[in-house]
Amino acid sequence: MLFPDDILLVDKTREGVEGKLELWRSTLESKGFRLSRSKTEYMECNFSSNRPTEGIVTLGDQVINKSTRFRYLGSIVQSDGEIDGDIISRIQVGWLKWRNASGLLCDRNVPLKLKGKFYKMVVRPAMLYGAECWPLKEKHNTKLSVAEMRMLRWMSGFTLRDKIRNEHIREKVGVAPIEDKIRESRLRWFGHIKRRPSDDPVKRVEVLDLTYIKKGRGRPKKTWLENIRNDLSLLDLNENLTFNRTQWRKRIHIADPT
């Protein structure tokens, strides 16, 4: 192992980040590794327009480059808390998987149902990686739905000029709307969180102190919990049902057309 990558250090203050960086540098060097100062970057998450920036981050005498976004474990994190970059990235990954398999997906001799099964096993999971944690807005749902319908129409050999409704194409291919599958994934993750012990790390977000964050003008940013509340209302679900895993999975499951 010559180069350990994807190391993430988090702290509330600039001084805390610099201290962790120095500790990490000294630890690596004691084990025979070296921290690349030119590739190391920092990102400041400032979710309040009224909060001043923390200034520059240094490692020894060298100033660390500042970034507004970075990729971590396949997802793109932005300093403003938005997910536009991650959505675009997942759509691009989905198209890459689709093009790699276009020889099969565009073959008229292959049954549509078989194409749909391949799409559900290869392409859709690549597009929905990390979707259970997205605070989705309507524009994000639209982008994902448009990308999926372009793939399905291409697979089935239809264009918009044929004037065939999206529902009919989905039924022919056997693929449920991507928005519904995202909701299923999001609620499945929500149920997993609710069933965890109260001292579990994944539940710490429920007790975070956000009183120090000053809200700017305009509508507050859409949150993941707001998506969950809308999902529960839409499906007429109660949070207490999450403790019955079998019933919860049965109620939130979205079946693909057969």
Side-chain angles (χ1 to χ4, degrees), residues 144-183:
L144 291 164
S145 298
V146 169
E148 182 180 67
M149 283 311 306
R150 287 185 62 189
M151 295 179 187
L152 298 184
R153 285 183 178 274
W154 211 331
M155 288 163 48
S156 57
F158 298 113
T159 65
L160 292 176
R161 294 182 179 180
D162 297 317
K163 297 183 179 180
I164 299 179
R165 297 180 64 86
N166 293 344
E167 294 79 6
H168 295 162
I169 293 180
R170 292 187 184 278
E171 186 175 353
K172 288 178 177 293
V173 184
V175 176
I178 195 169
E179 183 177 355
D180 293 344
K181 299 305 291 186
I182 292 176
R183 183 184 303 111

Side-chain angles (χ1 to χ4, degrees), residues 82-93:
E82 297 292 343
I83 60 171
D84 301 79
D86 202 18
I87 296 295
I88 295 174
S89 175
R90 299 325 305 174
I91 292 176
Q92 292 174 344
V93 171

